[in-house]
Structure formats: C-alpha cells, structure tokens
Amino acid sequence: MEPAIEVDGLVRSYSATHGMVRRRRSTVEAVRGVSFQVARGELFGLLGPNGAGKTTTIKILTTLLLPTAGTARVCGLDVVADTRAVRTRIGYVFGGDRGLYDRLSGLDNLRYFAELYAVDPRGLRARIDEVLDLVGLGGREGDRVEGYSRGMRQRLHVARGLLHRPEVLFLDEPSIGVDAVAARELRAVVAHLVEDGTTVLLTTHYMFEADQLCDRIAVIARGSIVAEGTPAQLKDQVADDRVVEVQVFGIGEAEVARVRAITGVTSVIVEDHEQAQALIVHCERSLDVSAEVVAALDGVRVGSIATREPTLEDAYISLVTAAEDG
Amino acid sequence: MPRRLVRIWLLQVKQMSRSSFEMMGAVLLPLLFATLAFYVLRAGTHPHALLGASIGAGLMGTWSTVLFGAGSAIDHQRWQGTLELIVAAPTPLIVVLLSLTLATTTVGIYSLVATMTWGAILFGVPLDLVHPAAFLVAIPATIVALATLGLLMASTFIVLRNANALANTGEFPIWLLSGVLVPVALLPTWVQPVSSLLAPTWGVRALREAALGGSPWRAIGACVLCAAVQLALAAVALRRVERRARDRATLALT
Amino acid sequence: MTARAWLRLVIVGGRISYRALFNWTSPLMYIPTLLVSPLLGTLFFAYLGRYAGGRDDTFYVLGNGLLAVAGPCVFGGMMALANERRYQTLGAVLGTPAPRGAILVGRAVPYVGNGLFTAVVVTTLAALMLRVSIRIADVPGLLLAALAAAASCTAFGLALGAIGMRVRDVWVISNTVWVSLWLVSGANVARSALPDWLEVVGGLLPISHGIDAARAIAGGSPAAGLIAREVALGAAWAAIATLLFRTFERSGRRHAALDRG
C-alpha cells in the first residue's frame, strides 16, 4: 500500500523586503530539502523549535502554500496538481485560538464547514454530535464561540478537522496555549483517532507529547530534518552518553567554555529557568565528570547536582543545538 | 491637568496621522462634501449661497471627523484592549476623551480651510469676508462646539460594541439640525427649538454671519454658552456610563 | 460535487456565513446604520434640494432610496470576504475543497436581499415623511430596479472584499466610495450636470443606472434598457470579484500571504 504522506526534497523560500526608503529583497529558506514518508495509520511527529519549518511544511501538505521545489503527495495525490482531491481527504487543525467565527455558536461553525466539505446533509447532525462528543464539547455547542476558553476553541478546531472523516489529519501545534489538563485530553482524542485508522501528522515542540503519542518522529531544525526514527531510536542516539545536570546561579561564557574543555564532555547546554540555570553536560558513559565540572565552575554559586540517564528531551536538544550551531 | 491634556492630544494627533483611514477621511471627505454642496446648490437658484456652502461643507467634514474619530478611537482601544487601561488610569476619563476629541477636531480645521480653498479654486467662490476678525474667533468657538458635542456622543460609544456603526447615524441629524447647508428656518417648526440648543447651530450661524454679514458676535456668545452646557452634560454622562460599563463588563472584548 | 451540495453551500452556507461575517446583524446596529442613516440622508438632501430650489422631493426620494442599497451591499459584500481576515479563518476556508463559485454566490445572496429590503423601507418611509406619492402601478418596476442595483452593488462589494483579503485598510476605499456615490450615482445631482469624467465614473459604479431606471419609471418612460445596463454592470463586477478572489487565493499560496494579521 502506498504511504499516506510522501515528501521528497521539499524546499520553500520566502522573499522578504526590508527598509522603507531603499527596498532590499532577501530570501529566507524556511524549509530546505525535507523528505519523509508516513505510512497509513501511523502517527508521525514533526518535532522542532519555533521557526524550524514545521508550519511551513504542514501548510504545503495542506495545500495552503506552494513549494518552491520538491514534491509532496498525500494519499498518493500531488498537493500542487490534485489540490481539490487532496483537500477532500485531509483535515487540518492549527493551534492558537483564532480561526473560528467568534460570533457564531460552535454548532454553526461546524455546520458551515460541513457544507464547505460537502458532508452528506442526511447524517450531518448525527456526525456533528459524534465529533462534539469525541472532543468533549457536547452540551456547549449552542454557545457563541467568543465565550469559549482556549481549550474549548482548540477542541472545536479538532472537531472541525474531523467532520468529513479525513483519511489524514494534520495537527499543527494543537496543544499550544492550552492548559495541562486540556492538553492531556487532546492527546487522548488523538490516540483514539489513530486507533480508528486515521493517519496523523502532528507538529509540536513539546517533547513529552511527541514521546507519548508518536510512532515515529522527525526532528526538524533550521529547515532540515536532522534525525528520524521511533522515540526509542532517537533516545539510542544519545544512549552512549551520561548526563550531568547542575543547577547554577549566574553562569558566564568563560565557565561554560571551561566545562566544554573537560576531556570526555561531548556537549554542554545552558537552559534558563526562573531563578537559576540548568547546566546540562553530556559526557561519555564510562566517565563520571561531576567532580571536574564542579571544579570548572569555581566562583559560581552551585545548587543541586545529578547524574542521570539521557532522556528523549536530551536527544532532541542535542540534535537541535548541533543543527543550530552548525 | 492642562499639560496632561496637551500630551494626550499630541499623542492622539500622532496616532491619527499614522492611520491612512483617518487621514484619507480627513483629506478627501470635505472635498467631496463641498463638491456635492456646490453642484446641488448651483443647480438651483441661490448662486450667491456658495460661500455659505463652502463653510457648511467644511463643517460637515469637521463633524464627520469628530464623530468617526471618537468612534473609531474607542473601537480601536477596545480591540487593542487598552480601553480598560484608560478607564483604570487615575486621569479622569473626561480629560482623556476631551483631548482625544480635540485632536480629531484639529484635523477638522483642515476641513474648513480645504473646502473654502477648493470652492475658490474650482468653483470661483469669492473669499471676501464681511467680518474677518469675528470669523477668526468663530472658528475656534465652532470647533469647541463640535468637540463637546462629539464628547457627549462618545460617552455613549463606550458602552457599545460597534461605536463606528453608530457614528454613521450621527452624521446627518447634526448636519440637518445645525443648519450647515440648509437654513434652520426651512426645517419643520418642531425641530427648531432642538436646533437652538445645539452649540454647533450657533457656530454655523456665527461663521456664516461673519462671512456674509449680520451680527456674528451674538452668535459666538451663544455658541460658547451652549458648548459649556454640552461639556457639563458630557461630564455627568461619562461618569454614569463609566460606572455602567464597569458594571456590565462592556469595556473589553473578552 | 453534486448540484445539490452546490445549492446547499449557496443557501445554507450563505446564511451561516452572513451571521458569521456581517457586523451589523443585531437590530441595534442594523436599524440605525442601514435604515435610519439613509433615511436621514434622504431628508437632508431633500431639504437641501428644497433650499436650492432645483428639483422636487421625488427626485431625492427615489435617488436616495435606491442609494440605501449601498449600506448592506457595499459594506456587507466587503465584510463577507474581508472579515475572514479579522477572524483569521481564511486559511481554514481555502483549505476546503468547496467550489469557490458557490462560496461567493452564497455569500452574495443575503446581501442582495438585504439591499432590496433597505431600499424598500427607506423609500417608503421617506415618501411618507415628505408626502411624495408613488403610483402602485410603478411598484413592480421600482422593485426590479432596486433588485438590479442591489445585485450589482453586492458584486461590487465582493470585489472590494476580495481586495480586503490582502489589504488591511480596504475600509478607506469603501468609505470613500460610499460618500462618492452620494455625488456620482446621480442620487442628488443629475449626472449630466457633472463634469464628463465624474459622469463616466458614476456610470461604472453600481446603482447609478438603477436610479436612472427608477426615475424613468416614475416619469412614465421605458426603463428596461437601464435596468439591463445595471444588471450587465453587476455581471462585470461579479466577474472582477471572482477574478480577484482567485488571483489572491493563488498568490496567497505562492507568497504565503494567507491569514496574515
């Protein structure tokens, strides 16, 4: 059976103009040669930081944006040539709280899109109730959307994307700005859809979300895919590492350079937390560099120190920082 | 307080000059009004009334600017979520709104100059004024008359969602009642007392009499007096409306 | 897509989108903006006409009564497309397989009906207030003229709305057009009295031929040709609206300009 999504050498560049008086044009490459395949019934995650090219890729796949080069096929149909046929087979849900008709009720928003997707009018109300139940909005569908919370808006987005029983569902950062409980419920809905055989392509920058849901993940950074595989395979990429995590207060460039220079250290990342910073040091598994790290941090206030196994997040961060440094 | 008034006024003029919508309206509409007035009046039997038409069309433009300026400023602030902040600030609401309204009126002065110039150049309307000094005094008096009336209306905009739409409705009645183009004496007798309570009616009369002959100073006096009453009413209305808006949560969109 | 689905999209979809996108659906907004304001305008110009002494009240009542279609049709047609930008729903709509023709026709229908309604209400009330009598026999013809004006005006509004999908300050255009129509449509000044170029502009904008037709009907002259001209003009504006919509949709996909706030 052909794959649900085939992306081959996808490139998308934007031209931007700068300056008011002397207009200069420059080209920004948002996606630079992305290729991947998603099998039918698979839940595939596109994981990357903001601006990595996730939304651009998804907009091309959902026919809202034309690629500069390369091809993309959904259900065997070319997204540029067979636009309408692709549109009938896909659902598209984006994050954030815009993109709904605020003045209409949730029900009318769904009704309108049901017409746009030519959903059979005979089973329409039943289908609407079904998707409302699925996303847990039953009972509130008569209220105007302007009174909905962010989480409710997000569910309505999902319901709208499902109305016409799409074969492939695109979820662009669906849990952005949604509280933890709502995000967990959303993940349950997605898991349920995949059980029913829907292919899902999900973009997210939440590691645990990708880890928990996805069959396979592609990590995208600066417009290119830097790694691809199951969550376990990605973790394996850093499995030979040991991670030392040190809580520090006010670390400078010089100290980071000193830590980086320690033999056996493969990468050093500083994460800013609320009051402190976390210094995450990857080193070879056979070595314990904790003592050297503390010595290198001479003069900096140090909090807790822990040595642990690498997580998927460590794998992701080291992949992305490697891509962004390079 | 005056310093704060001036500063808010400056800020508002700056913001307006950056919005093409406001500028376009302010620049083009008066010329359209003037052209319209000239053609309708020239088609008739009152060719000598053209200078009055220049002035009247200018004031039509000023009033539109005040009305839409106040309406859209409040709409914008609401959309940007800043209306709540303004109400919450320690500066009294009336000071904020008065400076906001005066700012739109400043742009409105252009309207009067533009229609008179437009009339002189395109339609050969003579610009010889009978009482030039009174005319110069009547201009600011009329501006204040329009601004305070705008303020009175703006106080109702605060409680409404689409202030702009309502502003549409406020144009014609004031044009009719204040006699910008059609003398008040031609209107049905029952509306004439209403006209005489509106400060702009006296402003229009002052400007016309200063330009065409008559006793402009009396009209100027009446104009200032009525404007003061309008301001007082606006202050009372604003206080009530503000309380109501806080009560019913109509300041913000969400 | 079947013919039935197409029709449903026009009728059901059109009705829902009207409620979704038209800002003035509530009576509190509808009545002052679309009925009271043009009625007051009619009175204003009729009194101005009386003062000027050129034309009788019938001239102004028919002119401004038909001009009342401009409110729902120019502004409504515009909101029907341009407001997608406000709600950032354009991407969601364009991502559907729905035929664009049906979307556009569906969005136009409510405003055409609306335009006809406002023209009837404003003309009737203005005629009553100014004691202008309209012959019963003329009513069907006047309704036809108003319908033609409403249709062509909505097509014009949709063309502005299509521009509004890309340009933020399309309101500038619509407001200026709206006031310009007071002058160039011939509602208040006979178009023949205007300079040649303004007369041409008026003839290319909607409503002016409809007004000519209404006055011809009231004057007992044949008006079928004038109504046909208004309809033809509407068809031309509809073609322009469709072309603009498709162009912006295509260029939006090429330049990533859809749903830019």
Side-chain angles (χ1 to χ4, degrees):
Chain A
M1 199 158 83
E2 71 196 350
I5 303 171
E6 296 169 82
V7 177
D8 190 15
L10 210 59
V11 175
R12 173 68 213 200
S13 52
Y14 296 104
S15 62
T17 47
H18 310 270
M20 290 289 285
V21 187
R22 289 180 56 206
R23 307 279 281 177
R24 282 169 295 121
R25 289 183 82 80
S26 64
T27 309
V28 182
E29 290 215 316
V31 171
R32 355 176 155 198
V34 163
S35 304
F36 61 88
Q37 291 201 348
V38 180
R40 299 249 173 187
E42 195 174 20
L43 202 168
F44 187 83
L46 207 52
L47 183 66
N50 289 328
K54 301 188 298 284
T55 297
T56 300
T57 306
I58 225 167
K59 282 213 158 139
I60 293 172
L61 290 173
T62 53
T63 77
L64 291 175
L65 193 59
L66 295 173
T68 312
T71 59
R73 302 174 80 78
V74 176
C75 304
L77 299 157
D78 187 274
V79 295
V80 177
D82 307 316
T83 311
R84 188 180 287 187
V86 170
R87 286 174 181 165
T88 55
R89 287 167 176 79
I90 62 169
Y92 173 33
V93 176
F94 39 82
D97 50 5
R98 305 304 299 274
L100 295 164
Y101 297 112
D102 288 5
R103 255 202 308 264
L104 295 182
S105 64
L107 181 63
D108 279 337
N109 267 282
L110 294 180
R111 276 193 184 133
Y112 188 56
F113 278 92
E115 295 303 332
L116 290 173
Y117 280 103
V119 175
D120 186 357
R122 270 162 304 183
L124 180 59
R125 188 57 218 246
R127 178 61 187 158
I128 288 178
D129 288 341
E130 206 178 329
V131 291
L132 282 170
D133 272 352
L134 184 66
V135 300
L137 264 185
R140 292 295 304 273
E141 70 269 26
D143 299 354
R144 281 184 177 214
V145 170
E146 58 190 359
Y148 279 20
S149 68
R150 280 199 137 185
M152 290 170 71
R153 283 166 174 263
Q154 198 49 54
R155 290 175 208 202
L156 187 58
H157 271 306
V158 175
R160 189 196 63 200
L162 295 176
L163 272 174
H164 55 297
R165 302 176 201 276
E167 294 170 42
V168 181
L169 184 66
F170 293 89
L171 294 167
D172 191 11
E173 311 217 14
S175 45
I176 204 159
V178 171
D179 67 58
V181 177
R184 195 172 59 209
E185 284 170 3
L186 189 70
R187 285 195 289 275
V189 170
V190 174
H192 179 82
L193 287 172
V194 176
E195 273 167 34
D196 278 0
T198 309
T199 308
V200 177
L201 190 151
L202 170 90
T203 74
T204 179
H205 58 248
Y206 297 122
M207 173 56 45
F208 61 94
E209 191 166 85
D211 191 8
Q212 191 184 335
L213 281 174
C214 298
D215 300 320
R216 273 190 317 128
I217 295 171
V219 177
I220 185 168
R222 293 183 63 182
S224 304
I225 288 182
V226 292
E228 193 188 326
T230 62
Q233 284 169 337
L234 291 180
K235 276 183 226 172
D236 277 351
Q237 296 202 349
V238 286
D240 290 341
D241 286 2
R242 178 193 294 275
V243 179
V244 180
E245 195 170 331
V246 190
Q247 189 187 24
V248 287
F249 300 87
I251 192 171
E253 292 282 333
E255 288 88 4
V256 174
R258 279 210 300 267
V259 172
R260 202 167 268 146
I262 298 168
T263 0
V265 168
T266 49
S267 77
V268 181
I269 296 151
V270 182
E271 278 180 10
D272 282 316
H273 292 174
E274 268 167 30
Q275 275 146 20
Q277 293 145 306
L279 183 73
I280 299 164
V281 182
H282 286 235
C283 63
E284 286 163 30
R285 196 169 189 80
S286 53
L287 300 169
D288 187 349
V289 293
S290 319
E292 287 95 327
V293 170
V294 173
L297 291 174
D298 187 34
V300 180
R301 211 181 120 208
V302 174
S304 61
I305 302 175
T307 304
R308 58 173 170 80
E309 293 293 303
T311 62
L312 183 60
E313 180 142 14
D314 293 317
Y316 167 68
I317 289 172
S318 75
L319 283 165
V320 168
T321 37
E324 288 185 341
D325 291 344
Chain B
M1 198 58 69
R3 246 190 45 220
R4 214 178 307 164
L5 198 108
V6 168
R7 221 176 294 148
I8 301 170
W9 166 78
L10 264 176
L11 208 79
Q12 188 63 28
V13 169
K14 229 191 223 164
Q15 203 168 32
M16 277 172 57
S17 65
R18 282 200 198 120
S19 141
S20 57
F21 173 81
E22 247 108 346
M23 286 323 277
M24 179 96 165
V27 170
L28 249 139
L29 288 187
L31 303 183
L32 272 167
F33 294 151
T35 313
L36 189 61
F38 293 138
Y39 276 111
V40 176
L41 290 171
R42 208 164 63 168
T45 53
H46 284 258
H48 63 272
L50 288 183
L51 179 56
S54 281
I55 296 168
L59 293 179
M60 284 166 73
T62 312
W63 177 238
S64 285
T65 318
V66 170
L67 200 58
F68 285 98
S72 67
I74 288 176
D75 269 1
H76 277 166
Q77 311 264 27
R78 198 195 302 279
W79 278 96
Q80 291 168 4
T82 43
L83 187 61
E84 280 186 310
L85 301 179
I86 289 177
V87 173
T91 303
L93 193 54
I94 188 150
V95 174
V96 179
L97 286 181
L98 186 63
S99 44
L100 194 149
T101 318
L102 277 174
T104 56
T105 325
T106 315
V107 183
I109 293 182
Y110 149 84
S111 172
L112 192 60
V113 176
T115 54
M116 291 181 71
T117 316
W118 185 256
I121 295 171
L122 264 86
F123 297 87
V125 179
L127 285 180
D128 38 325
L129 308 167
V130 179
H131 305 290
F135 193 79
L136 285 181
V137 177
I139 290 176
T142 311
I143 297 286
V144 171
L146 292 168
T148 47
L149 186 61
L151 188 64
L152 191 55
M153 292 209 170
S155 61
T156 60
F157 291 167
I158 292 189
V159 271
L160 290 170
R161 270 290 165 89
N162 283 306
N164 250 331
L166 211 78
N168 283 333
T169 323
E171 255 182 336
F172 288 118
I174 299 303
W175 288 349
L176 259 178
L177 291 171
S178 61
V180 284
L181 289 179
V182 184
V184 175
L186 278 187
L187 300 179
T189 42
W190 63 269
V191 300
Q192 292 182 18
V194 183
S195 285
S196 61
L197 289 175
L198 293 171
T201 309
W202 297 103
V204 171
R205 194 152 151 192
L207 284 170
R208 287 179 69 101
E209 290 185 350
L212 305 167
S215 45
W217 293 107
R218 259 182 43 209
I220 291 173
C223 175
V224 172
L225 195 74
C226 290
V229 174
Q230 284 174 179
L231 183 64
L233 284 175
V236 174
L238 265 180
R239 200 169 311 157
R240 297 190 54 164
V241 153
E242 184 192 332
R243 192 157 312 147
R244 207 177 87 119
R246 280 160 66 190
D247 189 36
R248 302 193 185 173
T250 45
L251 291 174
L253 274 175
T254 45
Chain C
M1 189 174 237
T2 61
R4 188 156 167 247
W6 203 92
L7 258 181
R8 271 190 68 93
L9 183 52
V10 168
I11 296 162
V12 182
R15 201 180 57 214
I16 301 175
S17 73
Y18 171 74
R19 284 196 289 123
L21 296 162
F22 191 43
N23 292 354
W24 302 328
T25 43
S26 87
L28 210 72
M29 284 298 144
Y30 189 100
I31 295 171
T33 313
L34 300 179
L35 299 177
V36 176
S37 181
L39 179 63
L40 291 168
T42 310
L43 297 181
F44 177 77
F45 286 112
Y47 273 104
L48 185 59
R50 284 182 186 181
Y51 172 56
R55 305 271 182 177
D56 62 359
D57 287 351
T58 313
F59 180 86
Y60 297 100
V61 168
L62 290 178
N64 290 287
L66 250 76
L67 198 58
V69 306
C73 298
V74 173
F75 288 102
M78 208 180 76
M79 288 173 194
L81 295 180
N83 267 352
E84 298 274 12
R85 199 190 167 83
R86 173 167 159 186
Y87 297 113
Q88 290 176 23
T89 38
L90 197 55
V93 171
L94 294 183
T96 69
R100 307 317 192 213
I103 294 181
L104 287 174
V105 174
R107 295 203 170 178
V109 171
Y111 298 104
V112 177
N114 237 313
L116 185 62
F117 175 73
T118 51
V120 169
V121 172
V122 171
T123 310
T124 311
L125 290 179
L128 288 173
M129 290 169 87
L130 294 167
R131 308 224 164 91
V132 166
S133 58
I134 291 171
R135 284 189 299 272
I136 299 294
D138 291 343
V139 168
L142 291 175
L143 283 176
L144 210 60
L147 182 65
S152 74
C153 205
T154 303
F156 176 75
L158 285 174
L160 287 184
I163 296 172
M165 287 164 37
R166 280 296 286 279
V167 183
R168 190 172 328 188
D169 283 337
V170 70
W171 300 93
V172 175
I173 307 176
S174 64
N175 263 295
T176 314
V177 166
W178 185 60
V179 175
S180 308
L181 280 174
W182 297 351
L183 176 67
V184 300
S185 70
N188 301 301
V189 181
R191 278 198 294 136
S192 55
L194 295 174
D196 290 344
W197 69 274
L198 276 182
E199 197 182 343
V200 172
V201 170
L204 293 175
L205 289 175
I207 312 184
S208 47
H209 298 291
I211 290 175
D212 288 349
R215 287 181 185 145
I217 291 163
S221 337
L226 290 166
I227 292 178
R229 240 192 266 179
E230 183 73 40
V231 171
L233 194 72
W237 278 113
I240 291 171
T242 312
L243 197 73
L244 285 173
F245 184 87
R246 286 188 189 280
T247 309
F248 289 140
E249 180 179 3
R250 217 170 303 141
S251 78
R253 286 178 73 199
R254 205 167 300 133
H255 305 299
L258 300 176
D259 276 344
R260 218 179 260 170

